Amino acid sequence: MRIFNTLTRRVEPLEPIEPGHVRLYTCGPTVYDFAHIGNFRTYVWEDLLRRTLRFLGFRVTQVMNITDIEDKIIAKAMATGASIGEVTEPFIRAFFEDLDTLGIERAERYPRATEHIPEMLAIAEGLQAKGLTYESQGSLYFRIDAFPSYGRLSNLERREIKVGARVDNDEYDKDDARDFVLWKGHREGEPSWDGPFGPGRPGWHLECSAMSMKYLGESFDLHTGGVDNIFPHHENEIAQSEGATGHPFVRYWMHAAHLMVDGEKMSKSKGNFYTLRDLVARGHDPRALRYLLLSTHYRTPLNFTFEALARAAGELQRFDALYVRLGEGARPAGRNDEFDAKAAAIETEIRDALADDLNVSGATGALFRLVREANAALDRGALPAGSVEELKSLLGRVDAVFGVLTPPEATLLDPEIEELVTQRTAARKAKKFAESDRIRDVLASRGIVLEDTPQGVRWRRAVAGAPPD
Ligand SMILES: [Zn+2]
C-alpha cells in the first residue's frame, strides 16, 4: 500500500509499526447537529481506506472519537436550556444510524470525550511539568514557541506564529498560529470538571491526543481527517502529544479534500447545505451517495451536484442489472477459461489501483470493463456455471471494499412484484395488451424496471434518483 503522507508531502509505502497491523485514528463528529455530506465525504473515504487495508491483508484497529463537549455544543445547550447530554445524545444516535445508512463499517472503538477527562488532564500536567504551558485567568495554554517543530504538518512558517498571543476558541483561522488552550477555566453556565488547574473543561484538540494515544499507543501509524483539520487541529494534536511523551506521535497523516456543492462552498445561508437525511427525504438512494462520495479521488475536491448523484445511481444500475443476470436460469456446468483469466487479471488491476494511494477511478474503470466483458459473454451464452460462480465471488471480494455493488436483498426478492410480473406475462400471452400495459405502469410507478428477454421477463428495482434507462 502506498499513500500520500501530508507530513512528508510524498507518496510513500505504508509500513506500520507492527507489521501487518495498521493502527488508525480518524477524527470523529462533534455531535451538536446532523452530519452533512461534506462530513460524510471524509467518513466514506476513511471507510474506503479501512476496507482497502483489509482487502490488502492488513489488520486494522480504528478509533474514532465522539466530541461530546466543545464550544458549539455548549453554545447550543446554553441557547436552548438543555443539558450537554440532552444536546448530544440524539445526534450520537443519528450519527450511528447515518453510518449504517451509508454502509460505513464500524470502527473498533468510539470513545467519548466526556469519558476521558482524566487522560486529558494527565497530558496537560505532563506538558506543564516540561514547561510547555502557562496559566492565565484560570485557563492553561500551550506555549507553541517552546515547541520548535510546531507548524511542520501544515507547512506553517515560523514567522507567522504570533508569539505570546493566545486563542480560546476550539477552531480558528488558518495562518493565525497562536498559543492554544488546553484547559479552559470555568465560565458561568458552562459544564466543568475539577482539575489541577482549577475547575474547567478541556480544549477540543486535547480530546483527540488523549483518546488516540490511550487506545492506539503513544506512537501509532495513521491519522486522518479532512484538510480543514490540518491546521490548527492536527498541528495542535502533534504539539501536545509529542510535547508530553517525547516520542513521535503519528507516522502517516492523510487528509481528504473539500466537498463543494454546485461549485461553491456548502453553507446554510446559500441554501446549498445538505445532510444525508435531506437527500434521503428527497428520494435519493444512499447507495448512490456513497458511490458518488467515494468515486472521486480523496485528494481532489469533490463537486456535489444532483446531476452527479443521478449519474452515480445510473452507474449502480449497471451493476444491479449484471447481478440479476448472474442469478438467473440454469447454465451448463464447466468454465470459460479465457473469461476467468480476464476476470482474474481485472481483479489484480483493481487491487493494484487501490493500493496506489486509493486510485479509485482506476479501480472503477477496471470494474466497468469487467461488467462489459461479463455482459458480452452472457449475450453469447459463453458463461458456464463455474465461471458465473467465480465471477460472483470476485464481485463479492471487490464489494468488500466498495460496499455498493451488491443490490440489497429486498430489491431482488419480492413476492408481490413477482406476482405482478407473472400476471403481466399471462396477460401478454392471452393478448390482453391493455391489461399487460396497465400492470407495467403499476410496476413502473413502484420503481420496477422490466426487460423482456428470450429467457423470459427480467426485473429489478431502479436505484432511486437514477435517470430512466
Ligand atoms: Zn481530532
Side-chain angles (χ1 to χ4, degrees):
M1 178 81 180
R2 293 168 59 79
I3 53 149
F4 181 85
N5 186 354
T6 309
L7 196 59
T8 59
R9 292 162 188 86
R10 275 199 311 263
V11 175
E12 309 179 332
L14 175 67
E15 285 161 1
I17 295 165
E18 179 192 334
H21 180 187
V22 176
R23 289 178 173 83
L24 165 66
Y25 188 83
T26 47
C27 283
T30 301
V31 282
Y32 70 103
D33 207 342
F34 296 113
H36 57 66
I37 57 173
N39 302 133
F40 282 116
R41 191 227 171 150
T42 302
Y43 301 144
V44 165
W45 157 65
E46 288 164 340
D47 184 56
L48 179 73
L49 172 64
R50 168 194 170 86
R51 289 166 175 253
T52 296
L53 289 169
R54 286 154 56 109
F55 183 60
L56 297 174
F58 290 99
R59 179 184 155 204
V60 177
T61 300
Q62 180 189 357
V63 175
M64 178 179 271
N65 62 296
I66 303 284
T67 295
D68 60 352
I69 183 82
E70 189 263 0
D71 293 349
K72 291 193 287 290
I73 294 170
I74 292 168
K76 191 161 188 174
M78 289 171 78
T80 58
S83 70
I84 295 296
E86 284 165 349
V87 171
T88 57
E89 281 304 327
F91 294 113
I92 292 173
R93 257 197 321 276
F95 174 69
F96 286 109
E97 286 166 13
D98 288 354
L99 293 186
D100 290 345
T101 303
L102 280 172
I104 294 174
E105 278 184 4
R106 292 295 165 95
E108 278 61 33
R109 274 181 190 276
Y110 291 95
R112 297 185 185 193
T114 52
E115 293 168 3
H116 295 79
I117 304 292
E119 289 86 344
M120 296 176 207
L121 285 169
I123 293 174
E125 285 185 284
L127 292 170
Q128 189 183 42
K130 292 187 178 178
L132 292 169
T133 65
Y134 58 91
E135 285 185 72
S136 173
Q137 294 171 344
S139 292
L140 186 74
Y141 295 88
F142 188 96
R143 190 191 294 280
I144 58 178
D145 202 39
F147 187 75
S149 64
Y150 190 86
R152 193 157 68 102
L153 182 71
S154 53
N155 225 356
L156 202 71
E157 292 289 330
R158 295 278 295 156
R159 62 183 156 74
E160 290 166 335
I161 293 175
K162 296 183 173 55
V163 178
R166 57 177 191 268
V167 60
D168 289 297
N169 298 338
D170 284 330
E171 289 170 86
Y172 47 99
D173 286 338
K174 200 178 182 318
D175 299 339
D176 194 10
R178 292 183 281 176
D179 295 336
F180 58 92
V181 69
L182 295 162
W183 186 257
K184 304 188 188 200
H186 177 66
R187 269 180 250 162
E188 190 55 37
E190 291 193 357
S192 74
W193 286 263
D194 286 330
F197 321 107
R201 63 177 172 99
W204 171 41
H205 314 296
L206 189 56
E207 300 178 7
C208 281
S209 285
M211 292 186 278
S212 60
M213 292 197 292
K214 172 163 184 179
Y215 296 108
L216 297 172
E218 290 183 354
S219 296
F220 61 93
D221 305 303
L222 181 53
H223 192 316
T224 65
V227 280
D228 53 332
N229 288 149
I230 296 176
F231 181 85
H233 184 50
H234 290 165
E235 201 71 77
N236 292 352
E237 278 189 47
I238 294 172
Q240 294 160 158
S241 305
E242 298 193 353
T245 68
H247 306 309
F249 176 44
V250 172
R251 189 151 174 201
Y252 305 93
W253 291 83
M254 293 172 80
H255 294 95
H258 286 292
L259 175 138
M260 292 173 303
V261 174
D262 296 324
E264 288 194 275
K265 193 170 187 261
M266 184 166 71
S267 80
K268 281 182 177 161
S269 60
K270 283 190 194 133
N272 66 352
F273 182 97
Y274 301 109
T275 65
L276 170 62
R277 284 148 195 261
D278 295 333
L279 299 182
V280 171
R282 286 176 172 224
H284 294 281
D285 190 321
R287 252 174 98 211
L289 179 64
R290 176 183 170 91
Y291 183 61
L292 175 63
L293 293 179
L294 63 74
S295 57
T296 296
H297 189 259
Y298 73 95
R299 284 192 283 124
T300 305
L302 189 156
N303 186 25
F304 174 90
T305 63
F306 283 98
E307 294 75 50
L309 186 58
R311 217 160 37 235
E315 289 187 7
L316 289 184
Q317 304 217 104
R318 292 165 59 190
F319 293 115
D320 288 4
L322 174 62
Y323 194 90
V324 170
R325 285 190 85 177
L326 292 177
E328 64 189 16
R331 294 175 199 284
R335 311 191 65 133
N336 174 340
D337 291 335
E338 195 193 329
F339 178 86
D340 292 355
K342 236 182 242 176
I346 289 176
E347 184 178 5
T348 304
E349 217 179 301
I350 292 170
R351 179 183 298 267
D352 291 349
L354 291 169
D356 178 17
D357 194 31
L358 300 169
N359 173 4
V360 75
S361 56
T364 51
L367 199 50
F368 277 114
R369 223 165 53 243
L370 180 61
V371 171
R372 282 196 299 276
E373 295 279 358
N375 278 318
L378 286 164
D379 290 345
R380 292 195 307 271
L383 218 51
S387 292
V388 165
E389 283 317 304
E390 174 47 31
L391 177 58
K392 281 194 201 164
S393 69
L394 187 165
L395 290 171
R397 288 192 294 275
V398 172
D399 201 31
V401 179
F402 288 96
V404 289
L405 306 182
T406 312
E409 191 97 313
T411 69
L412 299 172
L413 300 166
D414 187 329
E416 207 187 326
I417 302 294
E418 292 287 353
E419 176 57 28
L420 284 167
V421 171
T422 308
Q423 284 175 17
R424 174 175 169 270
T425 307
R428 270 162 58 107
K429 248 186 205 148
K431 302 209 183 311
K432 293 181 185 162
F433 294 113
E435 174 65 0
S436 91
D437 287 351
R438 188 191 67 78
I439 299 173
R440 170 167 268 230
D441 290 346
V442 169
L443 288 165
S445 74
R446 293 164 81 163
I448 304 300
V449 181
L450 296 176
E451 207 182 323
D452 295 308
T453 76
Q455 292 78 36
V457 181
R458 184 184 290 154
W459 72 270
R460 63 187 157 80
R461 203 176 295 274
V463 178
D469 279 4

